[in-house]
Amino acid sequence: MSKTKFIFVTGGVASSLGKGIISASVGKLLQARGYSVTIQKLDPYLNIDPGTLNPYEHGECYVTIDGAETDLDLGHYERFLNYPTTQANSVTTGRIYRNVIEKERRGDFLGKTVQIIPHITDEIKRNIKLVSTKEQFDFVITEIGGTVGDIESLPFIEAARQMKWEHEGQCMFVHLTFVPYLAASGELKTKPTQHSVKQLLETGVQPDVLVLRTEKPLSHDIKRKVGLFCNIDSEAVIEARDLDTIYAVPLAMLDEGLDAIILKKFKLKVGETPTLEPWRTFVEKHKNPKQTVQIALVGKYVELSDAYKSIIESFVHAGATLECKVILKMIHSETLTEENVQEQLGDCKGVLVAPGFGSRGVSGKFVAVQYARENNVPFFGICLGMQCAVVEFARNVLGYEQANSTEMNRKTPYPVIDIMEDQKGVLEMGGTMRLGGFPCEIKKRSLTYKIYKTTDIVERHRHRYEFNNKYLEEFEKAGMIATGFNPNTNLVEIMEIPSHPWFVAVQFHPEYRSTVLAPHPLFEAFIGAALAYAKKS
Ligand code: GLN
């Protein structure tokens, strides 16, 4: 095995403690010290990938540049590390089993009984090492989904245990737990942590570092006590206090010395403490905005902010650059009607229509587009949002009342959005959309060219339907212009209305590319347009 070091991040006591953010923060800190780092997620469910999951189940499906549909934690990894992840960074139990069963069917096991140990665990180990083969990293951080004690994640923990045994000095376990505060007695309770470490010990894993989520500061005594019960020196018991932004977590972990203790345990030189600039400046700007602006996010999963995670974070990144706090007014598209649109959107300085699938809530999206278009409110449509903008224009400007996307009505006489040619024979739903990064050529005389300052971009996609080029001439004559095309297939990727102050609709998902250190220009420009509109109105 190469010199790569592997850090396994497990969680105990409760779910949703922020393993993803802790993993991303450790990655950020090691990166700031000059190491190359990648972060991987092992998800214990049987779906091959989350692409077939409804956002109510697992929040947003994140898409990598190489077209993998992944858990939303990969979005955090990219936003923190400013470095792309790939298919290898996202592994599910389903994928592991599929690989092993395919091998069995091919006869690769030569008549042996195929078992969880060693065959499944071997396949897990192979997948962990795989992240650092094409491109070698100094550190691979592997976040193990679920909570210790779950039946589902046992094979992952077992595989990681074996790796630590087989590659002495190259692997480490960071375990994240929760220390509840009992208001009635005014005490922090460490028993759940002790139990969760015991549970981990039962699987043969001794954690090297403990990270304790807490709402109150942990005294030295508590750290010592936890350390003593869990066989860990108190220096390696790290406090992770609740913070008002996830982006402050790397700074807090630096102060706590999490990265330094990891390096020491690997017997690597700790060296100088990184300043963590320009990250620090970003956090400062994000926390101390000089202005605010309210923007409507119109979608059908608004009660669940995880469904639009990357979009929400893109506003944070771009907002900080402009020292502007973007207040997102989440509008449920199913509740939006012509009668209440003024009331619902009237106080918003920009309207974003979100991506989505299926016809539920789509009529509210048409209402939102029409409102923004007719009232000169900055409009940003993403994927389904772009398709809604096209349908709305066909209905209300071209006069094709029954225009639609064939996703919503297969028999529409005006299929201005239609299924892509290569999607027509597709029967399997998983991993079969147009996925990942595709090139797009931008026309020079366009708003998007001014924003991107280049004609050649690559953006990520996740869809089956597209603009129907049969209608392009009519659209352009009436004032909606295609300004971005895929140079190889001629698919329309960007639509604009030049007579409108800011109307940009894109078939791709710019939000997957926005990071703390590289906010997306479209989001920045959209917020800028909303601020300009606010000044005028
Ligand atoms: N449902 C639309 C399509 O498949 C849009 C997808 C999306 O918004 N991601 O083309």
Side-chain angles (χ1 to χ4, degrees):
M1 199 164 75
S2 65
K3 285 270 150 44
T4 304
K5 306 264 188 279
F6 293 85
I7 301 170
F8 298 104
V9 180
T10 56
V13 179
S15 57
S16 307
L17 291 181
K19 271 194 310 258
I21 301 299
I22 290 294
S23 303
S25 300
V26 169
K28 182 79 226 161
L29 294 179
L30 293 172
Q31 193 189 50
R33 289 180 182 272
Y35 294 104
S36 61
V37 185
T38 193
I39 313 176
Q40 177 188 49
K41 176 89 191 267
L42 303 181
D43 269 309
Y45 45 76
L46 284 170
N47 304 63
I48 301 288
D49 58 47
T52 51
L53 287 173
N54 170 330
Y56 287 115
E57 296 282 322
H58 265 271
E60 163 189 284
C61 174
Y62 187 76
V63 179
T64 61
I65 184 84
D66 66 343
E69 296 177 284
T70 75
D71 184 82
L72 58 77
D73 271 324
L74 269 84
H76 289 309
Y77 307 161
E78 289 203 13
R79 290 188 279 272
F80 275 58
L81 298 188
N82 196 26
Y83 200 77
T85 53
T86 66
Q87 175 69 75
N89 294 72
S90 175
V91 177
T92 67
T93 296
R95 184 180 299 279
I96 297 288
Y97 272 79
R98 185 176 68 176
N99 292 351
V100 171
I101 291 169
E102 277 172 2
K103 276 190 206 162
E104 187 275 332
R105 291 290 83 182
R106 278 201 307 265
D108 290 3
F109 295 111
L110 304 172
K112 283 245 181 298
T113 308
V114 181
Q115 294 177 293
I116 293 181
I117 300 171
H119 303 102
I120 294 294
T121 46
D122 281 353
E123 179 62 15
I124 295 171
K125 287 190 283 182
R126 192 181 72 81
N127 274 271
I128 294 169
K129 293 173 195 169
L130 203 63
V131 213
S132 188
T133 43
K134 235 204 246 148
E135 183 181 351
Q136 279 219 355
F137 292 95
D138 298 322
F139 287 96
V140 171
I141 300 171
T142 296
E143 178 190 345
I144 301 181
T147 310
V148 290
D150 295 350
I151 293 174
E152 304 198 291
S153 49
L154 270 177
F156 287 138
I157 294 176
E158 168 60 14
R161 183 199 68 76
Q162 291 178 13
M163 266 187 72
K164 192 176 178 188
W165 173 248
E166 289 166 349
H167 306 284
E168 210 196 319
Q170 273 179 268
C171 300
M172 166 178 313
F173 278 85
V174 173
H175 186 55
L176 174 66
T177 74
F178 177 54
V179 178
Y181 176 73
L182 292 191
S185 60
E187 277 178 308
L188 285 162
K189 291 295 184 190
T190 63
K191 194 71 85 190
T193 296
Q194 296 174 39
H195 281 301
S196 127
V197 172
K198 287 239 160 68
Q199 205 149 25
L200 200 52
L201 286 169
E202 277 171 26
T203 63
V205 170
Q206 165 67 55
D208 301 279
V209 177
L210 277 183
V211 179
L212 308 185
R213 263 304 285 277
T214 169
E215 49 175 302
K216 304 264 180 219
L218 300 179
S219 67
H220 186 68
D221 272 355
I222 291 187
K223 286 187 176 182
R224 205 168 36 90
K225 180 173 150 195
V226 171
L228 186 65
F229 281 115
C230 303
N231 324 314
I232 292 173
D233 40 305
S234 54
E235 197 194 15
V237 179
I238 303 289
E239 167 187 312
R241 196 114 53 87
D242 297 354
L243 295 169
D244 45 14
T245 160
I246 53 169
Y247 297 109
V249 178
L251 303 174
M253 291 302 103
L254 182 69
D255 291 344
E256 275 285 310
L258 176 56
D259 54 334
I261 192 77
I262 288 174
L263 292 172
K264 272 193 221 162
K265 295 222 173 223
F266 276 127
K267 299 198 168 46
L268 292 167
K269 233 179 70 206
V270 174
E272 254 174 64
T273 307
T275 59
L276 230 63
E277 287 295 349
W279 188 277
R280 212 175 272 281
T281 310
F282 158 80
V283 175
E284 278 308 306
K285 282 189 180 173
H286 170 52
K287 282 186 165 173
N288 305 297
K290 297 211 170 91
Q291 49 193 342
T292 60
V293 71
Q294 175 154 287
I295 288 176
L297 195 164
V298 183
K300 64 177 169 183
Y301 301 111
V302 289
E303 58 281 58
L304 176 100
S305 61
D306 270 1
Y308 302 112
K309 197 81 203 163
S310 293
I311 292 178
I312 294 171
E313 298 308 321
S314 299
F315 277 115
V316 172
H317 309 151
T321 310
L322 300 170
E323 295 180 76
C324 173
K325 181 180 167 69
V326 177
I327 300 165
L328 283 179
K329 184 172 181 185
M330 307 297 266
I331 310 274
H332 201 306
S333 57
E334 277 183 296
T335 68
L336 197 59
T337 61
E338 273 170 24
E339 291 68 46
N340 66 26
V341 63
Q342 181 60 41
E343 188 193 321
Q344 291 219 59
L345 298 183
D347 55 352
C348 297
K349 309 303 174 196
V351 174
L352 186 149
V353 175
F357 293 83
S359 55
R360 183 170 68 86
V362 86
S363 59
K365 292 187 174 181
F366 298 144
V367 171
V369 179
Q370 185 175 7
Y371 174 87
R373 186 177 56 75
E374 290 179 347
N375 294 287
N376 284 331
V377 182
F379 172 83
F380 193 7
I382 298 182
C383 206
L384 180 63
M386 176 263 202
Q387 300 175 353
C388 288
V390 166
V391 172
E392 189 279 328
F393 195 86
R395 288 183 182 179
N396 300 324
V397 180
L398 301 183
Y400 298 146
E401 238 174 83
Q402 293 185 62
N404 216 331
S405 158
T406 51
E407 180 181 10
M408 313 307 159
N409 175 8
R410 244 190 304 158
K411 298 211 175 86
T412 169
Y414 303 101
V416 288
I417 300 290
D418 201 1
I419 187 118
M420 281 180 271
E421 203 45 48
D422 54 6
Q423 286 287 328
K424 285 186 179 159
V426 170
L427 296 175
E428 287 212 358
M429 286 294 121
T432 55
M433 279 187 251
R434 181 179 183 227
L435 288 168
F438 287 92
C440 169
E441 241 171 64
I442 301 178
K443 282 194 189 154
K444 277 215 159 150
R445 289 180 54 177
S446 67
L447 174 58
T448 31
Y449 175 74
K450 275 195 205 121
I451 294 169
Y452 277 99
K453 300 187 180 70
T454 173
T455 51
D456 295 290
I457 57 167
V458 174
E459 293 281 4
R460 302 182 199 177
H461 294 251
R462 182 172 186 249
H463 62 119
R464 294 187 202 280
Y465 295 81
E466 60 162 322
F467 179 80
N468 185 344
N469 276 327
K470 271 191 235 151
Y471 293 91
L472 186 55
E473 223 185 287
E474 266 182 272
F475 271 78
E476 298 207 321
K477 265 197 200 135
M480 188 184 245
I481 314 288
T483 56
F485 291 88
N486 178 300
N488 309 316
T489 57
N490 218 28
L491 291 180
V492 170
E493 314 285 33
I494 309 174
M495 289 295 243
E496 293 181 26
I497 300 181
S499 61
H500 184 285
W502 208 97
F503 193 103
V504 177
V506 294
Q507 183 57 76
F508 48 77
H509 291 264
E511 71 274 21
Y512 294 143
R513 221 162 52 80
S514 174
T515 71
V516 165
L517 298 184
H520 198 287
L522 281 177
F523 280 87
E524 229 177 285
F526 179 49
I527 299 170
L531 286 168
Y533 177 80
K535 245 191 221 144
K536 253 202 275 158
S537 58

